């Protein structure tokens, strides 16, 4: 009996040691993960700032050239307009990366305000050539940052347009229950594989669609 008691105590000591070592490894892994996340955030912050400076200078040069359009040939004016639009779009993409880095670093505070989503989303749909449901009416105002909500909504509709074949349709639905206001963007595209659904909110997650991988920041 004495021998069995010693053996049981030895097992408890060994198991306690194993758990302690596992906890130490887990803590070290978490510290490493947090450091990697910090370095990635710092990298995106620095890169965004570095890219934004030359793009701003390019936009200033384009603006100066377009101030006297009558002195330029028509073909050149058209090219300048295209360059200006493309540069503005690239600048917005860089700003999105910068905002993402600042959000993850806790440097951005959301500007909450009452927002009536029916009128807001209806106005945002105007630039998109999409079939959107027009039934329903105003819902209770929600407290949200309009600029951030606009970016999320544009991403949802843009992705739906990208992966909906010609002849398909997209429906934007807004409904309210006792506790929440729900926004749904539904399309007739091929959809996503069940395995991809678990990572759709991960930064730079990739989904295999139509034989190619699509990469996004949000």
């Amino acid at each position: 009996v004495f021998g069995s008691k010693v053996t049981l105590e030895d097992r408890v000591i060994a198991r306690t040691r194993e758990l302690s070592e596992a906890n130490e490894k887990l803590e070290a892994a978490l510290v490493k993960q947090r450091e990697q996340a910090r370095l990635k955030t710092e990298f995106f912050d620095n890169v965004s700032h570095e890219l934004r400076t030359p793009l701003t200078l390019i936009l200033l040069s384009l603006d100066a050239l377009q101030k006297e359009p009558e002195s330029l040939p028509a073909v050149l004016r058209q090219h300048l307009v295209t360059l200006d639009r493309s540069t503005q779009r690239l600048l917005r993409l860089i700003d999105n990366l910068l905002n993402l880095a600042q959000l993850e670093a806790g440097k951005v505070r959301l500007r909450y305000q009452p927002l009536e989503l029916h009128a807001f989303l209806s106005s945002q749909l105007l630039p998109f050539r999409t079939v959107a449901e027009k039934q329903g009416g105003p819902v209770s105002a929600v407290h949200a940052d309009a600029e951030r909500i606009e970016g999320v909504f544009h991403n949802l509709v843009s992705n739906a347009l990208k992966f909906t074949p010609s002849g398909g349709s997209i429906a934007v639905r807004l409904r309210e229950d006792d506790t929440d206001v729900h926004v749904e963007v539904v399309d007739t595209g091929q959809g996503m594989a069940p395995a991809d659904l678990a990572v759709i909110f991960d930064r730079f997650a990739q989904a295999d669609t139509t034989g190619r991988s699509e990469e996004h920041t949000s």
Side-chain angles (χ1 to χ4, degrees):
V1 175
F2 180 75
S4 300
K5 183 177 180 181
V6 172
T7 301
L8 180 59
E9 289 177 351
D10 289 342
R11 290 179 179 176
V12 170
I13 293 172
R15 183 56 177 164
T16 301
R17 186 183 302 112
E18 291 175 0
L19 290 174
S20 178
E21 292 174 352
N23 286 335
E24 290 176 359
K25 291 180 180 179
L26 179 60
E27 180 63 28
L30 290 174
V31 170
K32 183 178 180 180
Q33 184 180 32
R34 285 194 291 265
E35 177 63 13
Q36 289 176 340
R38 185 190 67 80
L39 291 174
K40 285 191 293 185
T41 297
E42 187 176 289
F43 169 77
F44 282 114
D45 197 350
N46 292 335
V47 168
S48 298
H49 279 295
E50 292 296 328
L51 291 176
R52 202 179 192 285
T53 300
L55 275 176
T56 302
L57 294 176
I58 292 173
L59 283 170
L60 289 173
S61 299
L62 289 171
D63 183 63
L65 287 172
Q66 294 180 90
K67 282 184 176 178
E68 298 180 1
E70 65 281 351
S71 64
L72 301 173
V75 175
L76 181 56
R77 291 200 300 270
Q78 292 176 356
H79 285 305
L80 287 176
V81 170
T82 301
L83 283 171
D84 185 79
R85 289 176 179 173
S86 298
T87 307
Q88 292 279 8
R89 183 173 182 275
L90 186 55
L91 186 61
R92 286 195 298 271
L93 292 174
I94 291 173
D95 283 341
N96 286 339
L97 280 177
L98 182 59
N99 288 335
L100 180 63
Q102 291 177 338
L103 280 170
E104 292 192 343
K107 297 179 181 179
V108 173
R109 291 187 177 181
L110 299 179
R111 296 187 296 271
Y112 290 102
Q113 58 182 314
L115 185 65
E116 199 289 293
L117 287 177
H118 185 271
F120 176 77
L121 296 182
S122 296
S123 67
Q124 297 301 317
L125 277 174
L126 293 177
F128 297 99
R129 292 183 178 180
T130 179
V131 178
E133 293 184 346
K134 297 182 179 179
Q135 299 177 354
V139 296
S140 299
V142 298
H143 288 276
D145 186 312
E147 183 179 348
R148 309 299 177 188
I149 290 293
E150 178 181 343
V152 171
F153 182 70
H154 275 234
N155 281 340
L156 288 173
V157 177
S158 295
N159 285 336
L161 287 169
K162 183 187 298 184
F163 298 110
T164 299
S166 177
S169 63
I170 299 169
V172 178
R173 299 171 182 166
L174 182 64
R175 60 184 176 85
E176 181 178 12
D177 57 28
D178 293 337
T179 58
D180 300 291
V181 174
H182 303 266
V183 179
E184 300 172 347
V185 179
V186 184
D187 62 68
T188 56
Q190 68 180 37
M192 297 178 63
D196 292 329
L197 295 176
V199 297
I200 57 175
F201 293 110
D202 292 352
R203 181 151 57 94
F204 303 120
Q206 294 181 335
D208 186 11
T209 55
T210 62
R212 58 180 181 162
S213 292
E214 293 293 337
E215 194 169 308
H216 307 283
T217 59
S218 57

